Amino acid sequence: MRQQRDEPYPDTFIGGGFHDPSAPAQLQDPLLTLAPAPAPVPPPAPAHRPRGLVPAIAAVLCALLLVGHALVPNTGWNMGSLLETLLPWTALAIPPLLVAALIRRSIPAALATLLLAATWAAMFGSQFVGSAPGARPNLTVVTHNVDAANPDPASTARDLLAAHPDVVALEEVTDKAFPSYRRVLDPSLRYSFHTGTVAVWSRHPITASERVVLDPGWNRSLRVEIQGPDGPFAVYVVHLASVRVGPGGFTAGRRDQAVAALDSRIDHEPLKKVVLMGDLNGSTADRGLAPLVSRLSSVQNAAGAGFGFTWPSALPFVRIDQILTRGVITTDAWSLPATTSDHRPIAAGLRV
């Protein structure tokens, strides 16, 4: 009997179909044939951004703000007045923007920053140059918000006398502190007038005096006539309403109403020579003071060097204490050293 050899099955049953190892690849079961993996799609190339674009835009925007600050509306939050009060501090943006331009090696950013610097210098640079006096002064005036909470009024008064003033105007003079100011100032400045929280002392005779009502709720303004070296002149001592920055914006409404009343009073002032001194709670760049600045000249703008900031005393960043004049010549203007008040006093040399 011939022995049969076991032959392997020619076909193998796999996964529901037959697989023939010897069959060509194209005849294999399509369910078992793997498609080739698709080629990876490269990510899109990032958009190219010019170097220094952000500092360049920031510098241009700051320059536009300097030039067009008057276009910022003053309705609602009075943002125009707030911006104009702080406008000199835009200079702080120049150094970091210039550093950013250098780090990025961006010529457009550097040029934009130089444009900002040139704009700032055109607006404020003259205040650091000063002006040569056109005449010799014959009167020195000093004004100071002495702070109602001043712990040492006598010391403050002595500090003011160090400037050898002919006229001293004080604001926030309390009834309790008034005798201390008198004891120090009266021996040098024998003529004086006091009403409410404002007072004035003069080396020259005071020939007329009155309270000036700018705000019916407060007694913080006065007018005197002084017989000066070359004739009479009027002196106004004024403390306008405070302004605040809060959730409601820059609250300056009460101050601006008093400015309007003061402007009307100055408009009807019979004497040609006028000196207005006091805490106006605003810078001369603030449009809220525009009526006064259009009639009177700032001694700091005329003959001062720098901004002459006065508040707060420890680290002043804004000038809200002012000396404004009409019909007189300003020969010099400066800020005095800090006293025990929260404001710094200011002084001016005048030819009246």
Side-chain angles (χ1 to χ4, degrees), residues 10-11 19-25 27-28:
D11 298 322
H19 173 70
D20 182 0
S22 63
L27 299 180
Q28 299 293 337

Side-chain angles (χ1 to χ4, degrees), residues 78-93:
N78 287 320
M79 294 307 296
S81 287
L82 178 60
L83 171 63
E84 288 158 348
T85 299
L86 301 177
L87 211 56
W89 291 98
T90 52
L92 294 180

Side-chain angles (χ1 to χ4, degrees), residues 18 49 67 87 101 112 119 138 143 248 309 324-325 342-343:
F18 288 96
R49 187 175 68 182
V67 175
L87 211 56
T119 304
N138 59 6
T143 185
F309 294 145
L324 308 178
T325 66
D342 60 339
H343 291 239

Side-chain angles (χ1 to χ4, degrees), residues 129-171:
V129 177
S131 60
R136 293 180 61 85
N138 59 6
L139 194 80
T140 299
V141 298
V142 170
T143 185
H144 190 23
N145 181 326
V146 292
D147 186 5
N150 193 318
D152 194 350
S155 172
T156 294
R158 287 191 292 270
D159 290 341
L160 300 181
L161 286 179
H164 306 290
D166 299 293
V167 178
V168 170
L170 302 183
E171 305 84 50

Side-chain angles (χ1 to χ4, degrees), residues 135-337:
R136 293 180 61 85
N138 59 6
L139 194 80
T140 299
V141 298
V142 170
T143 185
H144 190 23
N145 181 326
V146 292
D147 186 5
N150 193 318
D152 194 350
S155 172
T156 294
R158 287 191 292 270
D159 290 341
L160 300 181
L161 286 179
H164 306 290
D166 299 293
V167 178
V168 170
L170 302 183
E171 305 84 50
E172 289 199 20
V173 179
T174 63
D175 293 337
K176 180 180 179 181
F178 181 63
S180 298
Y181 293 115
R182 288 202 62 179
R183 281 193 296 270
V184 177
L185 296 176
D186 280 4
S188 299
L189 308 169
R190 56 180 297 191
Y191 304 98
S192 64
F193 177 64
H194 167 234
T195 180
T197 59
V198 291
V200 61
W201 280 261
S202 173
R203 193 181 306 278
H204 304 286
I206 294 177
T207 58
S209 59
E210 62 177 310
R211 172 193 174 190
V212 175
V213 179
L214 303 178
D215 187 325
W218 287 332
N219 184 7
R220 308 202 304 187
S221 306
L222 64 82
R223 175 192 179 273
V224 296
E225 291 185 18
I226 296 178
Q227 185 62 38
D230 293 330
F233 63 97
V235 171
Y236 287 80
V237 181
V238 177
H239 185 189
L240 297 182
S242 299
V243 297
R244 296 287 186 271
V245 181
F250 191 62
T251 56
R254 192 168 188 177
R255 181 206 65 181
D256 293 348
Q257 291 175 1
V259 168
L262 181 58
D263 176 59
S264 177
R265 182 61 189 258
I266 298 295
D267 185 37
H268 293 88
E269 169 57 48
L271 295 180
K272 294 182 178 180
K273 298 178 181 180
V274 176
V275 179
L276 188 154
M277 298 187 283
D279 178 2
L280 303 189
N281 271 301
S283 74
T284 53
D286 183 341
R287 70 188 68 176
L289 300 187
L292 288 178
V293 176
S294 65
R295 296 185 186 278
L296 306 173
S297 300
S298 165
V299 297
Q300 184 68 20
N301 293 344
F307 294 112
F309 294 145
T310 62
W311 183 88
S313 178
L315 188 63
F317 68 88
V318 65
R319 182 184 179 90
I320 59 177
D321 303 275
Q322 308 290 347
I323 301 175
L324 308 178
T325 66
R326 183 185 76 188
V328 304
I329 299 172
T330 301
T331 63
D332 197 7
W334 67 99
S335 298
L336 298 176

Side-chain angles (χ1 to χ4, degrees), residues 22-45:
S22 63
Q26 61 270 25
L27 299 180
Q28 299 293 337
D29 188 343
L31 294 177
L32 299 178
T33 304
L34 297 178
V41 179

